[in-house]
Amino acid sequence: MNCGLFKENVESVAGHCVVTADVTNVLRQIIADLRAQRVAISDAPELAQFGVIPTANDLFNFEVGITRAQAAIAETGTLVLDSSCERNRLVSVVPPVHIAIVAASRIYPTLADVLAMLQSGKEVSPAITFITGPSRTADIELTLTIGVHGPQELYVVVDETS
Amino acid sequence: MNHLSSETFRENAKAALADTHLRGALKNATSLFGERRKEAAASLPNWEALRTQARAIKDEALSHLDRYLKEFVENAETRGAKVHHARDAAEANAIICNLAAEHRVRVIVKSKSMTTEETHLNAALEAAGMQVVETDLGEYIIQLADEPPSHIIAPAIHKTRGQIAELFTAELGMPPTDDIVQLTGTARTTLRDRFATADMGISGVNFAIAETGTIVIIENEGNIRLTTSLPRVHVAVMGIEKVIPRFADLDVFLKLLPRSGTGQRLTTYQSFITGTKRHASDEGPEELHVVLLDNGRSRMLAHPVTRQALACIRCGACLNACPVYQQIGGHAYGSVYPGPIGAVITPQLMGIEKTSQLPYASSLCGACRDVCPVKIDIPQLLLHLRAEISPRKGSIAERLAFKLWAKVMTRPALYKMSSVAGRILQRFVPISRAWINGRDLRPIESKSFHELWPI
């Protein structure tokens, strides 16, 4: 139930969402459809086959960035990235496309549930980022424009097997 | 240049009313913002309960601010942040200029911060030889135009796309266009270079959590994430009133703030930063400095009536709802914080002497109070400020007139006589022009309500 509502809410803020049991193939397909040559990844081991971990010097030269998300919020369609688990801070914001993988079991119903989860450990992580849809602005004539400083496109792949 | 003064509010407002471009842009923006807020609020069945809860949390934080600030400072510093205390704008700017010099900083990227607008930080950094680049699209536009922001959350709300296109052509050499996507794309490309080379990032703070030492910053564009992740030093500037007690309190505020500001369920990004990175090889800045700014806030806190204005979470809803702001926009107020909440805060932060016209920039209709997510009674505060101003201001004739009026209105016999006299005299005496210029005044009827409907 969380999964369906989550997908619906990601799509309501102009994000793409795929729920699948075959994450690897879905990721390959998205990258192929985007015709992306340069793919950046976080240091999550299962992403190694899809791209390279960027260095400080070539960070701005990638077309796609792939990370995991450590949790998600169904009621808002939000991804939760915890930087103590993964080098996800820059790969998720600098490239023009961000693809995030989240386990279906890590989708929480509400914002309050996630806040409680984030505080349940011994320490709150030094950097946590909530992401709801692609980067947007309405600073010119209050007209919605997608993709200002962050990614112009956001793909969320929900792994229904975990 | 468009740096107006609060002292000339009346003239500023008159000029704004004559500017058709401005009024078109304002009408469009404030009505859209208003509709989106209304829809978003209606989508939550417990909106009223949330407002009450948010205010209770803010009241709790403000009535024990010393304790919660201390707790925040301890928790942030334990996790590697360095906290600085600034009594006023000059101290805050000096702290940040020194940090920049110490770290041999040349380029600084900034995300939107009303608090640094309040301290005029950019001017101080530029005077010290630093290059400061605003990265929020709206802030970037007004920095190029050398104007102050005209709205708390949409700084360039007063500009049309045509005016922005002209500005980009002149300042960035962009070919003329009316296309908002192209304008936004040009800003993105230009600012990417700045992000890549900046040595320091300066941000504001939306909420500071005492319990965990966390700062929370919310946005839509992604420039805050870049500002707080890429440069080697991050400086976060916050008013002391931004502290809330518990991490779990964020649930209420993250529901209210985006809905009240832009009508969104949640803004695109929230950054939760708790101290510095734990390992040298981790991503993120090497140093985090938090500057706590007082600048008149503890004076407001000490006052039992005005204290509630410190509960403001800077959503901008009262600006959009205000019939005065809707007509004249933000610049006319001549203050960093415009609109109803600006008319309350500015006299208290900057002193009432130079800002005494601002509390009168309201019809007291109460629309601001009705939309405020933390239930600040802005009309009450405006009346309170007017009462502080009126013994000093106002002519002797005006004071005498009101004394006489009070005498007459509290004595039925005198009142009856005066209305009879008024009926006759209005034929011969022209009513003061100044009084009827901005108001409708109907002539006194030949028979009063009482005479028509005798008891």
Side-chain angles (χ1 to χ4, degrees):
Chain A
M1 180 206 143
N2 285 347
C3 210
L5 182 62
F6 174 70
K7 179 175 156 60
E8 192 182 301
N9 282 326
V10 169
E11 286 167 352
S12 77
V13 288
H16 309 279
C17 186
V18 187
V19 182
T20 177
D22 188 357
V23 171
T24 305
N25 265 324
V26 168
L27 276 178
R28 285 211 178 109
Q29 193 57 51
I30 294 171
I31 295 166
D33 290 347
L34 289 166
R35 295 171 203 281
Q37 302 295 316
R38 309 234 336 128
V39 178
I41 52 165
S42 71
D43 58 351
E46 68 271 34
L47 298 179
Q49 55 174 311
F50 299 106
V52 293
I53 299 174
T55 65
N57 295 327
D58 66 357
L59 180 69
F60 284 87
N61 302 327
F62 290 92
E63 296 153 275
V64 174
I66 311 180
T67 69
R68 296 192 58 90
Q70 282 62 45
I73 307 170
E75 69 173 350
T76 50
T78 302
L79 295 165
V80 179
L81 272 63
D82 179 343
S83 68
S84 67
C85 303
E86 187 184 350
R87 286 180 75 83
N88 52 21
R89 248 174 119 164
L90 295 170
V91 171
S92 62
V93 69
V94 175
V97 179
H98 175 209
I99 308 175
I101 303 152
V102 65
S105 62
R106 298 290 296 165
I107 303 174
Y108 291 77
T110 66
L111 172 64
D113 295 330
V114 159
L115 290 172
M117 179 275 291
L118 290 172
Q119 223 192 341
S120 63
K122 229 174 90 190
E123 283 279 309
V124 173
S125 165
I128 298 163
T129 310
F130 284 9
I131 300 173
T132 311
S135 156
R136 59 173 66 208
T137 187
D139 274 351
I140 301 177
E141 290 188 357
L142 237 60
T143 305
L144 175 67
T145 313
I146 300 284
V148 209
H149 296 295
Q152 287 148 353
E153 282 192 81
L154 173 70
Y155 291 84
V156 182
V157 182
V158 180
D159 181 357
E160 58 185 355
T161 65
S162 63
Chain B
M1 283 288 268
N2 200 354
H3 297 259
L4 300 169
S5 158
S6 301
E7 290 175 273
T8 54
F9 174 76
R10 272 173 226 279
E11 291 77 23
N12 305 347
K14 233 175 243 169
L17 286 174
D19 184 341
T20 47
H21 264 307
L22 173 71
R23 293 185 71 185
L26 279 171
K27 190 179 173 203
N28 178 32
T30 56
S31 59
L32 254 176
F33 264 141
E35 282 161 30
R36 288 178 190 169
R37 189 209 74 87
K38 207 170 161 189
E39 240 172 75
S43 74
L44 278 184
N46 56 344
W47 185 253
E48 284 309 309
L50 280 172
R51 290 174 76 207
T52 308
Q53 206 184 336
R55 178 57 184 280
I57 295 168
K58 276 286 184 180
D59 281 347
E60 180 196 349
L62 291 171
S63 47
H64 305 287
L65 192 58
D66 52 340
R67 205 175 78 208
Y68 286 122
L69 268 175
K70 194 162 163 261
E71 194 185 343
F72 168 74
V73 173
E74 278 170 10
N75 282 321
E77 292 204 323
T78 307
R79 289 157 185 83
K82 173 86 185 77
V83 181
H84 307 259
H85 298 265
R87 267 172 296 189
D88 54 28
E91 273 191 22
N93 293 348
I95 289 165
I96 300 164
C97 285
N98 285 339
L99 281 171
E102 216 174 275
H103 288 88
R104 301 184 183 285
V105 167
R106 281 160 307 148
V107 180
I108 298 170
V109 282
K110 264 188 82 206
S111 59
K112 206 178 90 58
S113 151
M114 290 307 292
T115 312
T116 61
E117 292 287 345
E118 181 186 325
T119 64
H120 301 289
L121 174 63
N122 290 7
L125 287 167
E126 279 161 7
M130 257 62 82
Q131 191 194 350
V132 191
V133 186
E134 292 287 351
T135 60
D136 171 84
L137 179 59
E139 283 283 340
Y140 181 60
I141 292 166
I142 60 166
Q143 188 184 32
L144 286 179
D146 190 20
E147 288 175 17
S150 72
H151 190 287
I152 292 176
I153 65 160
I157 204 177
H158 58 287
K159 285 204 171 314
T160 60
R161 73 178 79 186
Q163 291 171 322
I164 294 164
E166 272 172 37
L167 184 68
F168 278 21
T169 305
E171 297 289 324
L172 307 174
M174 180 191 184
T177 175
D178 248 8
D179 182 31
I180 292 179
V181 175
Q182 272 188 50
L183 292 169
T184 306
T186 301
R188 175 185 168 105
T189 317
T190 314
L191 289 168
R192 286 257 138 170
D193 290 341
R194 305 297 186 196
F195 280 122
T197 53
D199 318 286
M200 179 182 268
I202 299 178
S203 75
V205 171
N206 289 103
F207 304 101
I209 319 297
E211 184 184 33
T212 56
T214 306
I215 56 173
V216 182
I217 325 173
I218 83 170
E219 60 161 334
N220 277 310
E221 296 185 1
N223 64 312
I224 292 180
R225 294 180 62 196
L226 293 166
T227 301
T228 59
S229 303
L230 277 169
R232 54 195 159 88
V233 184
H234 172 202
V235 180
V237 187
M238 57 177 268
I240 52 172
E241 81 283 13
K242 297 282 182 194
V243 177
I244 56 173
R246 293 157 299 264
F247 198 76
D249 294 333
L250 285 169
D251 183 41
V252 178
F253 291 105
L254 291 181
K255 284 195 169 90
L256 287 171
L257 178 51
R259 284 180 170 86
S260 301
T262 53
Q264 287 170 285
R265 200 156 41 188
L266 205 55
T267 56
T268 307
Y269 305 119
Q270 286 76 34
S271 297
F272 301 71
I273 299 168
T274 310
T276 45
K277 57 184 176 185
R278 306 295 188 257
H279 312 283
S281 61
D282 288 352
E283 297 175 288
E286 285 146 32
E287 290 183 25
L288 167 63
H289 295 269
V290 181
V291 180
L292 294 177
L293 177 72
D294 187 319
N295 207 30
R297 287 167 174 78
S298 47
R299 204 170 49 232
M300 281 170 77
L301 188 66
H303 198 293
V305 182
T306 55
R307 170 183 291 179
Q308 62 168 307
L310 289 172
C312 173
I313 55 173
R314 308 281 190 267
C315 70
C318 63
L319 278 57
N320 305 322
C322 176
V324 176
Y325 181 92
Q326 284 170 2
Q327 299 301 325
I328 63 171
H331 285 160
Y333 291 81
S335 57
V336 172
Y337 303 105
I341 192 66
V344 168
I345 293 177
T346 310
Q348 300 181 79
L349 294 182
M350 311 298 165
I352 216 157
E353 297 304 328
K354 293 185 171 175
T355 57
S356 61
Q357 294 182 37
L358 296 185
Y360 294 90
S362 165
S363 66
L364 301 175
C365 71
C368 49
R369 178 186 50 212
D370 295 347
V371 297
C372 178
V374 286
K375 291 192 163 179
I376 299 172
D377 192 346
I378 296 175
Q380 187 211 346
L381 294 177
L382 290 170
L383 281 173
H384 171 82
L385 289 170
R386 288 182 189 185
E388 255 180 41
I389 294 161
S390 62
R392 313 180 203 191
K393 300 267 163 181
S395 63
I396 296 171
E398 191 178 317
R399 265 183 277 164
L400 274 176
F402 274 110
K403 256 192 193 148
L404 185 69
W405 183 77
K407 281 233 159 75
V408 173
M409 294 305 276
T410 49
R411 289 167 181 78
L414 263 180
Y415 173 76
K416 243 179 226 166
M417 274 166 61
S418 76
S419 57
V420 173
R423 255 176 246 156
I424 300 162
L425 284 173
Q426 68 179 345
R427 285 183 229 164
F428 308 106
V429 187
I431 299 197
S432 162
R433 190 100 4 106
W435 178 261
I436 55 170
N437 251 348
R439 305 167 172 85
D440 291 326
L441 189 71
R442 291 182 54 79
I444 303 169
E445 295 294 338
S446 54
K447 275 196 170 183
S448 76
F449 184 80
H450 264 288
E451 286 160 352
L452 285 170
W453 302 94
I455 306 164

